[in-house]
Amino acid sequence: MRVLAGDIGGTNARLAVVDVTGPQRGRIVAERRYPSADAPGLAPLALRILAETGLTVERACFGIACPVVNGDCDAPNLPWSVNAHELADALRLERTTIINDFLAAGHGLPVLVADDVETVQEGMPVSHGPVALIGAGTGLGEAFLLWRGDRYDVHSSEGGHASFAPTTPELRALLDWLVPRYGHVSCERVISGPGLVNVYEFLVASGAEPECDAVRKVMQDDGDPAPVIAEHALDRRDEACVRAMELFTTAFGAQAGNLALTVLASGGVYLAGGIAPQIIPALRWGHFVNALRDKGRLSDFTTRVPVHVITNPDVAIYGAAAVAAHD
């Protein structure tokens, strides 16, 4: 079956035409990436890829960075809302579905092979144990998978919008600095691309780290400071960027450990999203794993949880395609 699948984030909308040949098998026939903020809605983008490729599809499913409730999606990091019924009418397809983007990624986990992941903690995996999925990008996404009979059921979550819980004195100072700016400080205010920028700005504003004028200029010229901070941190060219990455990965690890405890993720924690694959060396520095393990009386459990970074960028596309074809 040929379907249209989408991985719709706050920055980019990735759309693909996929030939689905089995529950865990699919082949991307054509793919496009569009800036989300430049589009008036999802339907024009879906119609655009079909027009550009000249391909036809039978069904569609889109994983969107938002809570989907009764077919409605009001995304906090997107410039538009989506209604499943209106989208179906616009596309004139047999079936059109919208789901949370991390629900889509969860459905895509069965397609992964050994080369699609990098392991940052071996752990001691339990067969058919619960699996946690967490990932930073424009926001912070979370989901979890529970074994039922002969397969995993995928459950979406908006844990990225839960309150940020600092675990070190420096992160507590960061929280105090963020409260006047946001009021409620969610996890994704720290653990996301914009969150990394928040951490960097806090370090500079508080005087904890001096800012390099050359780095600031690169940020201004680039237009998106987060990749600049990450690049300078990984190369260890700027101390403020390095320290920002250390705090970022500490917060990331602590929240990944929180999710692991919440769902008892003995089957493993998978890091998805756009940021984790780009900062694997930093995830190995020790701050991430130490924070993930540091859970007091439950530290033995989190030390045994396997942790993997998903490096296959198409996992949510394949998951959305599977939902379109088989649900």
Side-chain angles (χ1 to χ4, degrees):
M1 176 182 292
R2 179 164 289 180
V3 303
L4 178 61
D7 179 14
I8 315 300
T11 303
N12 293 304
R14 293 183 60 230
L15 300 175
V17 176
V18 183
D19 281 341
V20 180
T21 57
Q24 282 89 44
R25 294 187 298 276
R27 181 177 66 90
I28 295 176
V29 179
E31 181 179 351
R32 296 288 189 277
R33 183 189 297 266
Y34 306 111
S36 304
D38 293 348
L42 179 53
L45 295 180
L47 292 170
R48 179 177 171 183
I49 185 175
L50 296 177
E52 289 177 353
T53 61
L55 298 171
T56 59
V57 297
E58 298 176 57
R59 298 178 181 178
C61 177
F62 305 93
I64 309 175
C66 71
V68 179
V69 180
N70 294 325
D72 284 315
C73 165
D74 293 307
N77 296 316
L78 281 169
W80 23 262
S81 299
V82 183
N83 176 272
H85 299 296
E86 294 175 358
L87 184 61
D89 289 343
L91 299 183
R92 297 180 180 179
L93 295 177
E94 172 191 342
R95 182 183 300 167
T96 301
T97 308
I98 62 172
I99 60 176
N100 175 264
D101 60 334
F102 268 67
L103 193 71
H107 281 286
L109 285 185
V111 311
L112 299 180
V113 297
D115 289 343
D116 291 327
V117 299
E118 287 279 346
T119 299
V120 296
Q121 176 167 281
E122 291 287 347
M124 300 174 62
V126 173
S127 179
H128 301 156
V131 172
L133 184 64
I134 182 171
T138 304
L140 178 67
E142 296 185 4
F144 59 98
L145 293 80
L146 302 177
W147 186 257
R148 188 184 69 173
D150 61 349
R151 63 185 177 88
Y152 275 104
D153 283 342
V154 189
H155 303 270
S156 58
S157 167
E158 286 298 331
H161 291 278
S163 301
F164 172 59
T167 55
T168 69
E170 202 162 14
L171 289 175
R172 284 191 283 274
L174 169 65
L175 174 61
D176 291 339
W177 187 79
L178 290 172
V179 166
R181 179 178 296 189
Y182 297 113
H184 173 252
V185 179
S186 65
C187 294
E188 78 168 23
R189 297 297 191 186
V190 177
I191 312 165
S192 63
L196 177 59
V197 179
N198 282 338
V199 175
Y200 175 88
E201 297 289 355
F202 156 72
L203 291 171
V204 172
S206 66
E209 296 291 344
E211 181 172 45
C212 173
D213 291 340
V215 173
R216 172 59 68 180
K217 185 178 187 308
V218 174
M219 291 182 188
Q220 292 171 344
D221 293 343
D222 187 79
D224 184 359
V228 177
I229 296 169
E231 178 184 350
H232 283 74
L234 294 173
D235 291 345
R236 295 190 175 274
R237 283 183 283 161
D238 178 77
E239 190 57 36
C241 294
V242 170
R243 188 60 190 140
M245 183 61 70
E246 291 174 347
L247 288 181
F248 175 86
T249 53
T250 297
F252 198 176
Q255 183 60 12
N258 289 343
L259 182 58
L261 289 177
T262 300
V263 303
L264 289 177
S266 58
V269 172
Y270 286 81
L271 308 185
I275 293 179
Q278 305 300 320
I279 64 165
I280 290 173
L283 295 174
R284 299 188 191 280
W285 288 350
H287 302 83
F288 176 91
V289 170
N290 289 341
L292 181 142
R293 293 176 175 177
D294 187 16
K295 297 301 178 186
R297 291 170 292 172
L298 271 296
S299 294
D300 285 345
F301 175 80
T302 48
T303 299
R304 294 194 303 270
V305 172
V307 182
H308 311 286
V309 180
I310 299 172
T311 57
N312 186 329
D314 298 320
V315 60
I317 291 290
Y318 285 122
V323 171
H326 300 294
D327 275 21

